[in-house]
Amino acid sequence: QKEVEQDPGPLSVPEGAIVSLNCTYSNSAFQYFMWYRQYSRKGPELLMYTYSSGNKEDGRFTAQVDKSSKYISLFIRDSQPSDSATYLCAMSASSGNNDMRFGAGTRLTVKP
Amino acid sequence: DTGVSQNPRHKITKRGQNVTFRCDPISEHNRLYWYRQTLGQGPEFLTYFQNEAQLEKSRLLSDRFSAERPKGSFSTLEIQRTEQGDSAMYLCASSPPGGNSPLHFGNGTRLTVT
């Protein structure tokens, strides 16, 4: 079993839809949680960074962390075609991030 | 903040050749990381520097791989005697001093070994 599990998709939604992306993990020591967006042939771009459990909102994006269930989510409201990318969840136990583990990524397509 | 810069963007080499990649981190970032990403997978940790010191190496980093960060600025990743299985995207990331700072990635070097 991988430390971080993420549904690879692909996920296709119409423009304006609410998108839900999820990851589960097995290491209870993880306490820093991130979502990255990766466009084709580009490096991952940080979207959201949260510590411990709770919610964090930034514009159309909301990140949720439930440490008791070892489950994290990213919600995208009013999705746009420009949101089409691969979304990677990542997490680490230390603030130094040298133990960061990534999910395999979910490929999202938002159709106009 | 000019971002993390990686060169070259693409490298095609024949099996058995040596290759070297360069990473220039964000200037005030003292931590530098190398990751490898294959198609359909998330990045996998290879090694980590704090300033010029290489503090951690993954078991994925075989003896054919070596990374350096002289003077704690740019870093190089060398692969000797390349194999077809080395074909991947090699990503560099950096983060500033102190805790609670996420990684900032470059756009990677895509290596193809023929």
Side-chain angles (χ1 to χ4, degrees):
Chain A
Q1 182 186 4
K2 292 183 178 180
E3 277 189 287
V4 181
E5 297 279 359
Q6 183 175 9
D7 186 343
L11 182 61
S12 181
V13 301
E15 183 175 355
I18 297 174
V19 176
S20 172
L21 304 167
N22 311 295
C23 288
T24 59
Y25 61 94
S26 57
N27 187 349
S28 58
F30 287 146
Q31 51 182 343
Y32 299 92
F33 303 92
M34 289 136 281
W35 285 94
Y36 286 85
R37 177 174 63 195
Q38 187 172 27
Y39 291 113
S40 180
R41 302 185 184 278
K42 298 287 189 181
E45 169 193 11
L46 180 69
L47 279 178
M48 302 289 279
Y49 180 64
T50 55
Y51 171 71
S52 196
S53 285
N55 295 355
K56 183 174 183 179
E57 186 174 324
D58 184 0
R60 298 185 294 110
F61 299 91
T62 300
Q64 289 186 350
V65 174
D66 182 349
K67 290 187 68 179
S68 62
S69 301
K70 298 190 179 68
Y71 186 88
I72 69 171
S73 300
L74 178 71
F75 297 95
I76 307 174
R77 292 184 299 280
D78 187 24
S79 56
Q80 303 295 309
S82 59
D83 295 328
S84 298
T86 295
Y87 289 79
L88 298 156
C89 64
M91 46 200 78
S92 67
S94 71
S95 59
N97 292 316
N98 49 309
D99 60 347
M100 187 179 292
R101 298 291 182 267
F102 283 82
T106 299
R107 186 179 181 95
L108 170 68
T109 300
V110 180
K111 295 184 175 180
Chain B
D1 180 355
T2 58
V4 177
S5 177
Q6 290 189 249
N7 288 288
R9 288 298 312 278
H10 302 97
K11 179 70 176 178
I12 300 174
T13 191
K14 293 185 177 179
R15 187 177 55 181
Q17 297 295 306
N18 299 344
V19 294
T20 300
F21 310 140
R22 177 179 170 126
C23 171
D24 288 89
I26 295 171
S27 58
E28 64 269 23
H29 288 187
N30 69 331
R31 298 178 183 181
L32 187 147
Y33 309 76
W34 285 98
Y35 281 79
R36 180 172 69 188
Q37 186 177 26
T38 54
L39 196 63
Q41 298 298 317
E44 294 176 295
F45 172 77
L46 292 178
T47 190
Y48 158 62
F49 290 84
Q50 184 163 311
N51 299 311
E52 66 275 9
Q54 188 173 19
L55 297 185
E56 189 171 344
K57 292 169 63 174
S58 164
R59 60 178 171 77
L60 294 176
L61 214 65
S62 76
D63 290 345
R64 297 184 296 105
F65 288 69
S66 63
E68 295 182 345
R69 194 183 182 197
K71 302 179 182 178
S73 55
F74 71 92
S75 176
T76 59
L77 178 67
E78 181 183 16
I79 308 174
Q80 296 182 329
R81 305 181 302 283
T82 53
E83 301 173 356
Q84 287 187 323
D86 297 331
S87 296
M89 173 82 89
Y90 289 85
L91 292 163
C92 178
S94 68
S95 66
N100 305 326
S101 300
L103 304 187
H104 298 264
F105 283 88
N107 282 324
T109 293
R110 182 171 295 280
L111 174 65
T112 301
V113 182
T114 61

